[in-house]
Amino acid sequence: MTNGNWAGSYDRPVDAGRKGWPGWAKKTVAGVVLLLVLVIAYFVLAAFLPRWWAQQAGSLSSGSFSRGIAWGLLYGLLCTLLPLLLIQLAWRVRGRKYSRAAQIASVVLAVVLALPNLMTLTVVLGNSAAAHAGERILDVDAPGFRGASLVGAIIGAITFGVLFWLGAAYRRRGRELAKMRDSARAADQAPDQPAAPSPEG
């Protein structure tokens, strides 16, 4: 074998003959697997989660109408306002250093904090046997909890809207003040212009 052939054999990559799946195929398979896992998890959780959450709300309320309303308002308000604030935080930190980790942590925490409202929603809107059992438990052990949760969620959304508007107005006012300061600083640093000569009579 000639030296050229030996050189060509050494220059050839070790895995040149190996063939793998293209990138789009790997992503498609991963997406299908993730979708199947989510669907299975949904059906597994839907079988017992509404009943379990109704039992937790019932144990907090102990059949008291006032306690059911109080806990419903508390969960509805906090579990709507806090997730919205965390999602806004994830949006505002984009593009900054280590922003990806902060965004992921904020979104995960927002989902966790929103779970009580989501579980109440599965009881109210669900058609499974567990959802119907959860409705009966809430009617007896936590009266007023579902309606108060809805009112609390509305209050939380309105509160977030007000805070968002106030924050935007504050930031806009800050930008205007900064622009005014920059203009004043530029005017102070500009050289004095000589006065125009007066026309001769």
Side-chain angles (χ1 to χ4, degrees), residues 38-49:
L38 292 176
V39 170
I40 294 172
Y42 169 78
F43 283 107
V44 171
L45 294 176
F48 76 94
L49 195 59

Side-chain angles (χ1 to χ4, degrees), residues 76-139:
L77 173 63
L78 295 181
C79 296
T80 300
L81 177 60
L82 295 181
L84 289 176
L85 291 175
L86 287 169
I87 291 174
Q88 183 193 17
L89 175 63
W91 174 260
R92 286 186 56 80
V93 300
R94 70 191 188 282
R96 301 181 184 178
K97 190 176 182 181
Y98 306 116
S99 61
R100 181 60 60 87
Q103 285 180 315
I104 294 174
S106 298
V107 172
V108 171
L109 186 57
V111 173
V112 172
L113 290 176
L115 283 177
N117 281 348
L118 295 176
M119 289 186 291
T120 302
L121 199 62
T122 61
V123 175
V124 176
L125 301 180
N127 294 322
S128 62
H132 294 313
E135 286 183 334
R136 291 191 294 270
I137 294 172
L138 290 180
D139 289 337

Side-chain angles (χ1 to χ4, degrees), residues 1-22:
M1 184 178 293
T2 63
N3 292 334
N5 291 335
W6 278 106
S9 63
Y10 282 126
D11 292 337
R12 184 182 304 168
V14 177
D15 56 348
R18 298 178 183 177
K19 293 183 180 180
W21 285 10

Side-chain angles (χ1 to χ4, degrees), residues 186-201:
D188 292 339
Q189 294 176 355
D192 296 334
Q193 297 294 331
S198 59
E200 296 181 356

